[in-house]
Amino acid sequence: MAGMAASGPRVWVTRARPGADRTAAALTARGFTPIIAPVIALKPLDTPVDLTDVAGLAFTSRNGVAAFADQTPRRDWPVFTVGDATAEAARAAGFTDVRSAGGAVDELTALIAGTWPADGGLILAPGPREPAGDLAGALAGRVRVRALPLYAAVGTDIAPPEAFDVVLVHSPRAARALAVRLPPEGGRERLLVAISAAAAAPLGQTGFAEIRIAATPTEDSLLGALGNPARPV
């Protein structure tokens, strides 16, 4: 790519903190030069937390784990997570009975539907105000699930970096925020790597030289699609 930095391709990390810092560390370890400039930020919500009748928990992100863990010291519920990274965060927060799906919300839905008994009780799903998938709706009639919005993803006023070679997009919400910051040819001679097709869709008119989509909606797969800086990105 044109303008590639000598110390490694410059990768714009658009996701919110603290996830952006973890991504930056992974990029540095791979030989890239990360540029943390989040286009979204996580805003805590003042949502009443009702734990009455809760028999289990479902998390679709590390952020949901962190937000919920701050609400109560209890760690005795069985936990379902969307993928292994979220499962690790749940265990680190003190939960011991943790079951992980394959990285997508539909896989989490299948895991719960296939293992949670009909009389197992209510599963609480702490997470964002605008979740990526409707877990409660997908499980309606089989398992009782109640969403608990604890934070919102809001746009920031940060400007795009003056120079970058690659941009990573972790969510459709970040992609929409990014789309309003980039001019029509803002991606010219640059690479876009998105965690899903939905995360790439809002950026289809920004002129990226190449768009790559992760094979699965996980950070590891996203970095795998980015590749190795030893070869051109």
Side-chain angles (χ1 to χ4, degrees), residues 17-182:
R17 280 188 155 112
D21 299 293
R22 293 192 298 268
T23 299
L27 288 168
T28 299
R30 287 170 173 253
F32 293 95
T33 301
I35 303 170
I36 299 177
V39 297
I40 58 173
L42 303 182
K43 177 184 177 182
L45 299 176
D46 188 19
T47 307
V49 178
D50 180 6
L51 300 177
T52 305
D53 297 329
V54 172
L57 301 171
F59 294 110
T60 57
S61 71
R62 288 172 177 260
N63 295 323
V65 173
F68 182 75
D70 287 341
Q71 301 294 323
T72 175
R74 284 188 59 181
R75 300 292 187 268
D76 56 318
W77 293 285
V79 171
F80 295 92
T81 69
V82 71
D84 292 343
T86 306
E88 290 174 8
R91 294 187 184 101
F95 295 99
T96 56
D97 183 359
V98 180
R99 310 166 208 184
S100 175
V105 175
D106 58 348
E107 293 172 308
L108 175 60
T109 301
L111 174 63
I112 295 173
T115 59
W116 192 253
D119 59 352
L122 174 69
I123 292 181
L124 190 67
R129 182 171 59 193
E130 299 177 9
D134 182 8
L135 190 64
L139 288 166
R142 292 179 288 176
V143 178
R144 284 198 304 136
V145 177
R146 184 176 74 229
L148 176 64
L150 292 178
Y151 62 92
V154 298
T156 69
D157 57 2
I158 198 164
E162 291 186 6
F164 65 94
D165 306 301
V166 186
V167 59
L168 294 185
V169 179
H170 283 74
S171 68
R173 178 69 181 82
R176 293 192 295 270
L178 180 59
V180 302
R181 286 166 172 76
L182 289 177

